[in-house]
Every structure is written in structure tokens, then in C-alpha cells.
Amino acid sequence: GVTYTDRTADGGSNRVLAADARIVFKQLYYVLGQVGGSWTDNGNGAVSAPLWSIEADRTARTWGFHYELGGIGEGFEAASGFVPRNNIVEFQAFNRLSYYGKRGSLVEGITAFAGPTRIWRYADFGKEHAIEGGESLSVTATMRGGWSLSARPARDFVHFDPSGQDEAVTNFSGTFSVTTPVFEKFNAKVEVRTGGTAIFAESADGRETRVTTSLGLRPTQSARIEASFVTSRIHRALDDTEFARSTIPRLKAEYQPRRSLFFRVIAEYRSEVRAGEQFKGLRTDWLLSFEPTPGTVVFLGYGASQERDPNRFGTEALRRTSDGFFVKLAYQFRR
């Protein structure tokens, strides 16, 4: 495949060109490679940077692996896409072992993933040690009746000094979860993470406890409700003072009275305190979909973000900060 994007605005330009290839062999393996680059001119001179990656994968019943090495050069920019971080080379390696028991036994299956991750500055790859990385082991057991138990111990490290000359902050953490079977009317999951974490804003070590709960409800064949609740607390390891805490409830409701008509609403409230600064906001998104025949569709959507004013109360305390409306109309002519 070949990808090319071109975006010009406000006197500047950005172009990205990349090519990739994927080869599958022996029904179990594939290798994938990609090379590309970006060329950006913001009026202060043109900047170019490379992008490349290579993957190898084995997918089989009992044993599999996935190895990946990729680099994004300093100055790489994709104005028409999304590249969250540049100036890095990242390596990931995961090996999988699976055990399958008899259906109806106490443990019907166990799957384990284990491997390291490493991140280097792009210019330091092959010369200096990694600035971030870690190792993890993830074990999931499928129990009788569809219950699932999962545990993930991990070690992570980070050098806050970009040169990597400072002492690495190393943390150990554990994540544990219980997932119910998918019953006719509901399913649920509870996940707890506790352990060390890096506080990048202060280049310091911290401790986090995060609890995530989710619940899926299907009261009728036409209605679906998904609710989740996340709470997190981060304390500084040095003096046990609070650095951040957040509470995020989220609700998604869907209703499909007939095959051609569909409604969806998503609401998420975010309450955060970080280094003494407080933020409370509400995000809502609405969607109406009408598809009477294949190829003929009507999409109507609206989304709005609101922020809470700490000096006001009630519904007047919510101040709209952004919103958007979109429409999609399509009709397929037939002969």
C-alpha cells in the first residue's frame, strides 16, 4: 500500500508519503514493513523526517509471538493524521502461551503474554540506553461458565533527563480484574491497578491506585446501556502528598426500535484535581442514524463540551466551551 497526504494552510505546508508491504507465509506467520517520511514548511524553512517500522508475527493455537521495531524521526509531522510522539525508536516483543482445558472444567483456558518494551531517542538508538521501557506478564484464566480472571504484574522505568544520564525511576505495579460472563441481560467487569507510576509533570516518582468498573445492560432487544466509572489517586512517593485525583463516570445508551433507525447518546463527566488545579466538565454526544435501504443513509450528530464554573452553582455553573454538528446524507441510485 501507498499513503500520501498533502495539507496547506496559513502559508505553511505538510506532506507525508509512506509505503508498506505485508507478506503472509505458512499460514501462521507474517512480516510487515513500512517506510516513509514527512516534509513540513511552516515559513521558517523546510523540515524533513523519516518514519519506518518492521514487524514479525506468529499466530498459532498454543504459541505465538509479535515483535515490532519502529522509528519516528525528530521533526516528523502528520498534519492530516495523528502521530502522538516523534523523535523515538520503540521496540516491543510479546510471546504468548495458551493452555486449553476441557469445556465444563473449572479452568477452561489460560493465556499468558510476556515481553519487554523499550524506547530510545531517535538519534541515540544503538548508541545509548533506552530512556523508557519495562517488562510485563499478563495472565488470563477463563473459568467455568464464562468467568474471567486476569493479573498483570509489571516493571516500568523512565529517565526524566532527555539525555538519559540521570538515575532511572523504576516502579513495580499490578493490575487485577474480574469479568463476568455475558448474561442475557447484563455483563460486568472490575479492574484494580496499584503500584508505582512516573509523574512526568514534576519528574518525580509516584504511587497510583486506580479502580475501573463497567456494566453492560440489555433490558430489551432494542435497548443497550453501557456504564463505566473510573477513579484514580496519585500520591508523590517522596512525602505521600497528593498530586492528582480524578473521577470519571461515563454512560452510553443506544436504542434501535427497528432495523433502519438507531439512536445513541454518550455522556461523560470528568472531575480532576492536579497539582492543586481543579477541572470539572461534561461532554455529551448525540447521534441519529436512518438507513432505510443499503447505500441510503442519514446521519445527524451533535456534540458539546461544557466546563463547570467553580463560582456558580446548579445548571448555570456549566459553561459551554465547544460544540459541533455534523450531517451525512447518501443515496444510492439503482438501475
Side-chain angles (χ1 to χ4, degrees):
V2 176
T3 300
Y4 176 74
T5 66
D6 190 320
R7 185 168 184 174
T8 302
D10 300 326
S13 64
N14 172 256
R15 296 174 177 85
V16 175
L17 176 64
D20 63 86
R22 183 173 184 264
I23 302 173
V24 180
F25 56 97
K26 293 186 178 180
Q27 298 182 335
L28 300 178
Y29 301 88
Y30 79 78
V31 293
L32 184 149
Q34 182 182 39
V35 292
S38 73
W39 295 263
T40 306
D41 189 348
N42 294 321
N44 298 319
V47 176
S48 62
L51 172 145
W52 54 269
S53 67
I54 185 170
E55 299 179 19
D57 185 278
R58 181 184 195 269
T59 302
R61 178 178 172 83
T62 303
W63 173 59
F65 62 73
H66 183 86
Y67 306 143
E68 181 176 349
L69 179 67
I72 304 177
E74 184 177 6
F76 184 92
E77 183 178 346
S80 299
F82 180 70
V83 177
R85 187 177 182 183
N86 59 16
N87 193 28
I88 61 170
V89 173
E90 184 173 6
F91 171 72
Q92 301 182 57
F94 293 99
N95 296 278
R96 174 185 56 83
L97 289 174
S98 299
Y99 160 78
Y100 300 94
K102 295 182 179 180
R103 183 176 294 275
S105 58
L106 178 61
V107 180
E108 295 185 344
I110 299 176
T111 301
F113 291 87
T117 62
R118 294 291 187 272
I119 297 178
W120 295 264
R121 285 202 312 163
Y122 193 87
D124 293 340
F125 178 62
K127 303 175 185 177
E128 304 289 344
H129 54 66
I131 58 174
E132 295 179 40
E135 298 83 30
S136 64
L137 170 64
S138 179
V139 181
T140 300
T142 302
M143 314 301 290
R144 180 190 302 137
W147 291 84
S148 179
L149 306 177
S150 179
R152 184 182 182 273
R155 181 191 81 97
D156 299 289
F157 71 88
V158 59
H159 291 271
F160 291 115
D161 183 356
S163 67
Q165 300 302 314
D166 62 332
E167 183 178 352
V169 173
T170 301
N171 285 303
F172 296 87
S173 64
T175 303
F176 310 92
S177 67
V178 178
T179 305
T180 71
V182 180
F183 297 108
E184 180 182 359
K185 296 294 185 180
F186 76 94
N187 59 281
K189 180 179 180 179
V190 177
E191 181 179 278
V192 178
R193 181 195 184 279
T194 182
T197 187
I199 302 177
F200 288 91
E202 298 183 352
S203 300
D205 195 10
R207 298 291 180 268
E208 180 187 24
T209 299
R210 182 173 68 240
V211 180
T212 303
T213 59
S214 61
L215 175 66
L217 298 175
R218 294 168 290 279
T220 68
Q221 292 184 346
S222 301
R224 297 180 295 273
I225 300 173
E226 295 181 10
S228 65
F229 186 84
V230 181
T231 178
S232 173
R233 299 291 186 272
I234 299 178
H235 287 79
R236 300 176 179 89
L238 181 63
D239 53 10
D240 201 35
T241 57
E242 183 182 80
F243 168 74
R245 69 177 183 271
S246 62
T247 303
I248 308 173
R250 186 176 188 270
L251 180 68
K252 179 172 74 171
E254 298 176 336
Y255 179 59
Q256 190 168 10
R258 57 180 184 269
R259 186 180 183 87
S260 61
L261 190 61
F262 176 75
F263 300 92
R264 173 189 291 160
V265 59
I266 301 175
E268 180 179 282
Y269 184 77
R270 183 179 295 267
S271 175
E272 296 180 333
V273 177
R274 180 176 177 179
E277 297 183 0
Q278 189 178 66
F279 171 82
K280 294 184 178 180
L282 175 67
R283 173 71 187 183
T284 55
D285 292 281
W286 303 78
L287 174 68
L288 165 65
S289 170
F290 180 59
E291 188 175 0
T293 58
T296 300
V297 297
V298 177
F299 287 162
L300 302 176
Y302 174 74
S305 296
Q306 297 173 290
E307 185 175 342
R308 184 177 178 85
D309 186 345
N311 299 319
R312 309 183 73 176
F313 301 93
T315 57
E316 296 181 354
L318 290 174
R319 176 176 56 88
R320 187 172 60 185
T321 57
S322 66
D323 60 0
F325 180 75
F326 74 89
V327 178
K328 177 181 179 180
L329 305 175
Y331 179 78
Q332 181 175 342
F333 294 91
R334 295 176 174 83
R335 294 188 300 176

